[in-house]
Amino acid sequence: MDYDVLLTFVLATAALAISPGPDNIFVLIQSMTNGKKYGVATVAGLMTGCLVHATLLAFGVSAIIRQNPNLFFVIKLFGAIYLFYLAFKVFNSSDDLEISNGTVAKKSLGALYKQGFIMNVLNPKVTIFFLAFFPGFLFSDAINIVVQFYVLAGIFIVVSFTIFSAIAILSGAISNYIRENKQLGKILKWLQIIVFVGIGVYLLLSDK
């Protein structure tokens, strides 16, 4: 097992979870509107949805690799290009962080869990992102590829759940800090760009 690869994956996942995106902004707004435990329920739904995408990825990509190992390079190349594309989209986006919760209706714990799950499962961009992100971090030549994908998915879910739950619990302080520090949006925007480009370069340079 290559523990350096796993550590890199943990750090990349943490950076992505901290960077503002549709999911963590959604969690922040739900926490502000309904309460902290409702934000955590939303996070649980989102992370459960990740299992569906991880399963599709694990069995689909592993089958491709078994049939033609050379296609693995194509998958990694696609992943790098897609991450560079995401970095470009972020570069062209606004620096402002929109966290207004004035029009969000209150919902039950179960409803928010279900909404988070469906929102994640039905989003094809999550599958595409997993396809771009995970293959470059396979960490062993001896362990079954399907098992490795599930290990990476487990790490991704644990790290993301921890950070997203912290966002839910600290939603009040975070929203106030965002409103008081107008430069934060620009800092987080460039963090996303650096992370996407960094992971893309890593995929191109990795020899697995």
Side-chain angles (χ1 to χ4, degrees):
M1 288 180 60
D2 192 333
Y3 291 100
D4 288 338
V5 171
L6 287 177
L7 178 59
T8 302
F9 182 79
V10 169
L11 295 176
T13 299
L16 288 169
I18 293 171
S19 302
D23 288 346
N24 51 18
I25 295 296
F26 179 69
V27 169
L28 179 62
I29 292 174
Q30 295 301 330
S31 301
M32 292 165 56
T33 303
N34 298 283
K36 298 173 182 178
K37 64 180 181 180
Y38 293 87
V40 174
T42 305
V43 175
L46 290 167
M47 295 303 105
T48 305
C50 286
L51 286 175
V52 177
H53 293 287
T55 298
L56 294 173
L57 177 68
F59 288 97
V61 173
S62 62
I64 291 173
I65 294 173
R66 283 195 295 267
Q67 291 173 6
N68 189 345
N70 292 329
L71 286 178
F72 190 44
F73 173 76
V74 177
I75 292 173
K76 290 203 305 177
L77 180 61
F78 158 78
I81 292 172
Y82 181 67
L83 289 164
F84 293 149
Y85 165 72
L86 292 179
F88 180 73
K89 281 190 66 177
V90 173
F91 177 77
N92 285 329
S93 66
S94 171
D95 296 340
D96 296 330
L97 294 176
E98 297 294 338
I99 58 170
S100 173
N101 63 333
T103 60
V104 179
K106 292 191 175 184
K107 298 181 179 180
S108 67
L109 286 172
L112 284 172
Y113 173 85
K114 181 179 178 181
Q115 182 174 357
F117 176 76
I118 294 175
M119 176 177 156
N120 191 295
V121 168
L122 297 183
N123 185 356
K125 292 182 180 179
V126 178
T127 298
I128 295 172
F129 178 76
F130 275 24
L131 178 61
F133 186 39
F134 280 28
F137 291 92
L138 295 177
F139 53 87
S140 174
D141 294 327
I143 299 175
N144 183 277
I145 295 174
V146 173
V147 173
Q148 291 187 64
F149 274 120
Y150 273 111
V151 170
L152 292 175
I155 293 172
F156 182 89
I157 289 170
V158 169
V159 172
S160 298
F161 183 86
T162 300
I163 293 175
F164 278 29
S165 295
I167 290 173
I169 293 170
L170 301 173
S171 57
I174 291 173
S175 60
N176 289 335
Y177 187 81
I178 290 173
R179 291 190 180 102
E180 293 170 1
N181 294 269
K182 301 301 183 182
Q183 293 299 313
L184 183 62
K186 182 176 293 186
I187 294 171
L188 293 176
K189 173 180 175 177
W190 279 100
L191 172 63
Q192 286 188 84
I193 294 171
I194 291 169
V195 170
F196 285 139
V197 171
I199 297 173
V201 171
Y202 174 85
L203 290 178
L204 291 176
L205 298 179
S206 63
D207 56 1
K208 289 194 176 292

